[in-house]
């Protein structure tokens, strides 16, 4: 097997500070009231044996509701919120309690496997994995194993192959070698059956530019890393790594996410991306991070989650989202979609359901997935702080499985300092690994305020192995310097640490009362600029430190709105 890190159980992770507040806004917003987005979120979802399809294929309502169950369950478990756990968990419990005699889980009509009928299982079974991680219920993995081992579907058609992800999760939990064989056969069969797809292994290994549907590229593309991680086939891991290198090369936009409307596009300043892809891209990179242990993948996850994700939602209340979002968008109303796909429609405006139903479902997954993978474990039983944010980890370490709580106190990504306090009843020795982002030079590591004397190179993980005393404090200092980044057609961006900055534009939010898929509590919005926006930066790259003033303020409980922004740049500009 090839694996540097593995996830900590969901039950061990406690978000705090702004991160907890983000999840609380989700709970009070759409995540906790998804029925406001209309069909199919106003149905019983996976607790309904046959949702009545209103358009398209009969399987798709189960895909969309599956996204929501996954995100809502993770959010609920991270918050320890019984109401949200019960609301989303109702569908999980129904499916587990209504297995067929042969172990098949889910609606009976999906069992036929016609077209993409098995793809929704891959979405929903991630919710089963989350519930198992949070509750410790080993019976869930056994049920998933029975489902796949007694099933006759080959899982080789298009997105059906994504079930390989769940097969290998069940393999990891149960140790049943037949699941690994099943997953390898399905993945090999997909590559034989659909060799023309961007996500076939030879094409991922090649220089061929991807043009695939963005969600499909992420969902299937990550499988090389997952299969390689469990089977030891490094060529498959190499294929996924190259596939994501090509996204950086050909489609990456300034906010950390590749273009996709619905297919992969380019790097034009007006190219856009689906909110779905924030969830799928960052989730897929998590597997590359676990397989390789490379800090660059954690950097990429943070950049997308701290820039693309907040930009795609109404951060005031998590009550509306965009289907397509764009780094350069001045108007966001019911006719402002400038992309070829549904041009002139509402797909770039903020509303509970701005297009089709995948993005309203997927938006609930983004930050819960981030929080769930902040803390990991290395191959020696050590703890890894992989992604940064205010939180606590309660776990066991050392040969005697001694209880320990690691408290992460930080204003990151707005502040440069991260403090880790070791809370334990007595001294304990274990490896503790922290990440130095690739954008950071001059990082410092301190132990109880004194320099640790360890090299802290940019783009590397650093392991501190020592006997930690109760209340020892490890400090990671990450100086955030200003940088300009260059983009197509004369585009230029200004960045500080993991954050990309934008001109402050006063906002005029107007309720769109013509939208049917909205409620009084969760209205649809047309958004217009209420101040001038047509400015250009008038700065010289070599004089950033002299020409740009960095204004820092205390981090509020909710820092993701304009008025509460903890960091502001004062820059020379020309109108």
């Amino acid at each position: 097997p090839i694996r540097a890190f593995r996830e900590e159980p969901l039950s061990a992770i406690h978000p705090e500070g702004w991160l907890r507040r983000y999840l609380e806004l989700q709970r009070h917003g759409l995540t906790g009231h998804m029925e406001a987005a209309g069909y199919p979120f106003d149905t019983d979802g996976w607790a309904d044996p046959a949702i009545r399809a209103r358009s398209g294929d009969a399987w798709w309502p189960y895909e969309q509701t599956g996204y929501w169950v996954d995100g809502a369950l993770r959010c609920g478990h991270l918050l320890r919120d019984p109401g949200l756990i019960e609301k989303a968990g109702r569908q999980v419990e129904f499916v587990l309690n209504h297995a067929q005699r042969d172990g098949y889980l889910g609606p009976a009509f999906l069992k036929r496997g016609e077209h993409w009928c098995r793809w929704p299982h891959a979405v929903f079974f991630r919710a089963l994995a989350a519930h198992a991680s949070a509750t410790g219920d080993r019976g869930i993995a056994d049920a998933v194993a029975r489902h796949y081992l007694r099933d006759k579907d080959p899982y080789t058609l298009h997105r059906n192959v994504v079930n390989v992800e769940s097969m290998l999760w069940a393999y990891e939990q149960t140790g049943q070698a037949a699941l690994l064989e099943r997953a390898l056969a399905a993945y090999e069969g997909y590559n034989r059956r659909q060799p023309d797809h961007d996500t076939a292994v030879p094409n991922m290994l090649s220089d061929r530019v991807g043009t695939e549907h963005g969600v499909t590229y992420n969902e299937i593309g990550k499988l090389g890393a997952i299969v390689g991680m469990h089977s030891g086939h490094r060529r498959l891991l190499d294929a996924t790594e190259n596939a994501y290198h090509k996204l950086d090369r050909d489609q990456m936009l300034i906010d950390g996410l590749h273009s996709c409307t619905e297919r992969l596009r380019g790097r034009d300043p007006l190219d856009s991306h689906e909110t779905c892809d924030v969830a799928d891209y960052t989730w897929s990179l998590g597997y590359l991070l676990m397989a390789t242990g490379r800090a660059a993948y954690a950097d990429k996850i943070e950049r997308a989650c701290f820039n693309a994700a907040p930009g795609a939602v109404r951060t005031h209340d998590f009550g509306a989202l965009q289907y397509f979002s764009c780094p350069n968008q001045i108007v966001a109303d019911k006719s402002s979609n400038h992309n070829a796909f549904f041009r002139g429609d509402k797909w770039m405006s903020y509303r509970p359901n701005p297009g089709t139903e995948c993005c309203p479902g997927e938006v609930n997954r983004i930050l819960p997935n981030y929080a769930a993978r902040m803390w990991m474990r290395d191959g020696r039983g050590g703890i890894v702080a992989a992604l940064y944010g205010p939180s606590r980890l309660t776990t066991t370490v050392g040969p005697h499985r001694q209880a320990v709580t690691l408290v992460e106190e930080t204003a990151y990504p707005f502040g440069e300092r991260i403090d880790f306090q070791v809370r334990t009843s007595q001294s304990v020795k274990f490896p503790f690994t922290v990440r130095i982002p690739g954008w950071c030079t001059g990082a410092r590591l301190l132990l109880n305020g004194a320099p640790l004397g360890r090299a802290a190179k940019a783009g590397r993980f650093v392991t501190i192995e020592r006997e930690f005393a109760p209340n020892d404090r490890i400090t990671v200092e990450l100086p955030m310097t200003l940088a300009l980044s260059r983009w197509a057609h004369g585009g230029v961006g200004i960045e500080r640490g993991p954050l990309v900055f934008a001109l402050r534009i006063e906002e005029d939010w107007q309720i769109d009362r013509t939208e049917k898929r909205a409620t009084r509590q969760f209205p649809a919005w047309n958004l217009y600029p209420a101040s001038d926006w047509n400015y250009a930066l008038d700065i010289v790259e070599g004089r950033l430190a002299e020409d740009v003033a960095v204004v820092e303020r205390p981090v509020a409980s909710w820092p993701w709105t304009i008025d509460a922004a903890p960091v502001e740049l004062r820059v020379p500009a020309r109108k």
Side-chain angles (χ1 to χ4, degrees):
I2 306 167
R3 171 169 281 186
F5 306 143
R6 64 181 64 244
E7 296 175 65
E8 282 282 350
L10 205 58
S11 56
I13 299 167
H14 303 257
E16 297 187 338
W18 71 258
L19 184 54
R20 180 176 181 85
R21 180 62 178 147
Y22 197 107
L23 298 178
E24 288 173 343
L25 278 182
Q26 283 199 213
R27 175 188 62 191
H28 296 309
L30 283 175
T31 302
H33 302 87
M34 205 64 229
E35 60 277 3
Y39 181 83
F41 304 107
D42 56 359
T43 72
D44 289 331
W46 283 74
D48 188 332
I51 301 173
R52 188 171 182 179
R54 298 185 186 175
S55 63
D57 295 306
W59 55 261
W60 75 260
Y62 291 94
E63 173 197 15
Q64 324 299 17
T65 53
Y67 289 135
W68 171 76
V69 174
D70 181 31
L73 259 184
R74 289 176 197 271
C75 184
H77 282 301
L78 287 164
L79 292 174
R80 278 66 180 171
D81 183 278
L84 190 54
I85 294 169
E86 193 280 331
K87 185 172 185 176
R90 192 181 307 140
Q91 297 185 38
V92 166
E93 296 299 331
F94 182 91
V95 169
L96 292 172
N97 292 332
H98 290 80
Q100 294 185 10
R101 284 189 176 184
D102 62 358
Y104 172 82
L105 301 172
F109 80 94
L110 293 181
K111 190 176 184 180
R112 296 192 298 269
E114 297 170 0
H115 191 39
W116 291 13
C117 274
R118 292 308 180 89
W119 151 241
H121 284 85
V123 174
F124 185 74
F125 282 9
R126 288 192 286 239
L128 296 183
H131 200 49
S133 178
T135 63
D137 184 351
R138 296 182 178 273
I140 296 175
D142 291 336
V144 173
R146 285 194 299 273
H147 170 91
Y148 285 120
L149 290 178
R150 298 180 182 179
D151 188 29
K152 304 302 181 185
D153 193 282
Y155 293 100
T156 58
L157 176 64
H158 206 52
R159 283 198 212 168
N160 289 352
V161 72
V162 182
N163 281 275
V164 164
E165 178 182 8
S166 298
M167 293 176 195
L168 291 176
W169 171 79
Y171 165 63
E172 186 174 0
Q173 302 301 312
T174 67
Q176 296 187 56
L179 286 164
L180 176 60
E181 296 171 8
R182 185 89 164 89
L184 286 171
Y187 193 54
E188 291 169 2
Y190 165 79
N191 279 277
R192 286 194 307 270
R193 184 173 183 176
Q194 308 203 259
D196 57 323
H197 282 202
D198 286 342
T199 48
V201 167
N203 296 329
M204 290 199 291
L205 285 166
S206 75
D207 281 339
R208 164 174 158 171
V209 176
T211 59
E212 180 63 88
H213 183 277
V215 168
T216 301
Y217 192 97
N218 282 295
E219 288 282 12
I220 303 179
K222 71 176 184 289
L223 297 181
I226 303 173
V227 176
M229 190 162 52
H230 287 90
S231 68
H233 294 164
R234 184 162 291 277
R235 178 173 177 267
L236 303 182
L237 173 58
D238 291 343
T240 295
E241 285 209 89
N242 195 56
Y244 280 82
H245 164 72
K246 291 191 291 184
L247 284 184
D248 286 342
R249 181 192 70 189
D250 301 323
Q251 284 97 15
M252 189 54 61
L253 302 180
I254 190 173
D255 57 2
L257 184 63
H258 58 82
S259 64
C260 167
T261 57
E262 303 246 309
R263 305 182 74 85
L264 299 174
R265 300 297 177 185
R267 304 184 74 189
D268 188 274
L270 288 179
D271 276 324
S272 309
H273 39 54
E274 287 181 63
T275 300
C276 279
D277 281 291
V278 188
D280 289 321
Y281 173 73
T282 53
W283 179 252
S284 299
L285 287 177
Y287 286 110
L288 283 169
L289 171 61
M290 288 188 281
T292 67
R294 292 179 183 166
Y297 292 120
D299 293 353
K300 293 176 188 296
I301 293 169
E302 287 189 349
R303 187 176 178 100
C305 286
F306 295 156
N307 297 282
V313 299
R314 183 177 146 89
T315 52
H316 307 67
D317 54 13
F318 208 84
L321 67 140
Q322 294 177 294
Y323 192 93
F324 294 147
S325 55
C326 174
N328 291 289
Q329 186 179 5
I330 308 306
V331 174
D333 71 4
K334 63 181 180 181
S335 63
S336 67
N337 179 20
H338 62 256
N339 299 285
F341 192 80
F342 279 80
R343 183 187 298 273
D345 210 333
K346 61 187 179 183
W347 292 51
M348 297 193 78
S349 60
Y350 292 87
R351 48 198 69 213
N353 194 332
T356 192
E357 289 71 17
C358 52
C359 289
E362 287 253 51
V363 73
N364 305 286
R365 301 179 61 223
I366 300 169
L367 262 293
N369 284 346
Y370 181 90
R373 286 176 163 176
M374 294 173 67
W375 294 93
M376 294 188 179
R377 193 170 287 259
D378 66 18
R380 299 182 298 152
I383 304 302
V384 181
L387 305 168
Y388 291 142
S391 61
R392 283 182 293 124
L393 176 74
T394 301
T395 187
T396 57
V397 293
H400 303 296
R401 298 183 63 82
Q402 186 171 324
V404 63
T405 295
L406 293 168
V407 179
E408 182 176 359
E409 298 172 335
T410 184
Y412 190 89
F414 310 102
E416 300 174 326
R417 181 185 177 104
I418 305 169
D419 286 307
F420 297 96
Q421 186 183 32
V422 181
R423 295 182 181 174
T424 180
S425 60
Q426 58 188 30
S427 296
V428 60
K429 186 175 182 179
F430 66 94
F432 179 48
T433 299
V434 297
R435 185 180 105 256
I436 310 301
W439 48 259
C440 182
T441 57
R444 291 205 313 157
L445 300 176
L446 310 175
L447 174 64
N448 298 324
L452 195 54
R454 295 292 308 275
K457 295 183 179 180
R460 301 286 183 87
F461 281 100
V462 180
T463 300
I464 304 157
E465 187 163 7
R466 57 175 284 112
E467 186 162 327
F468 290 96
N471 298 316
D472 268 354
R473 186 175 291 265
I474 298 292
T475 299
V476 183
E477 292 182 347
L478 302 173
M480 295 180 180
T481 56
L482 298 171
L484 287 183
S485 56
R486 303 288 180 177
W487 301 85
H489 303 296
V492 62
I494 188 164
E495 305 174 14
R496 179 178 182 266
L499 297 179
V500 175
F501 286 74
L503 174 70
R504 174 174 179 146
I505 303 173
E506 300 301 324
E507 299 172 344
D508 177 17
W509 292 86
Q510 299 181 11
I511 293 177
D512 179 2
R513 303 189 187 281
T514 67
E515 175 59 67
K516 295 180 180 179
R517 291 190 289 190
T519 67
R520 180 175 296 180
Q521 184 181 0
F522 295 98
W525 298 95
N526 293 321
L527 176 59
Y528 304 99
S531 62
D532 291 340
W533 52 266
N534 49 324
Y535 291 92
L537 294 173
D538 186 16
I539 52 182
V540 178
E541 189 158 10
R543 291 183 49 83
L544 280 178
E546 294 82 6
D547 291 347
V548 179
V550 180
V551 180
E552 296 184 78
R553 304 183 183 89
V555 176
S557 63
W558 184 237
W560 295 101
T561 56
I562 292 175
D563 293 333
V567 183
E568 183 177 277
L569 306 183
R570 303 283 175 83
V571 301
R574 295 189 189 183
K575 196 170 184 180

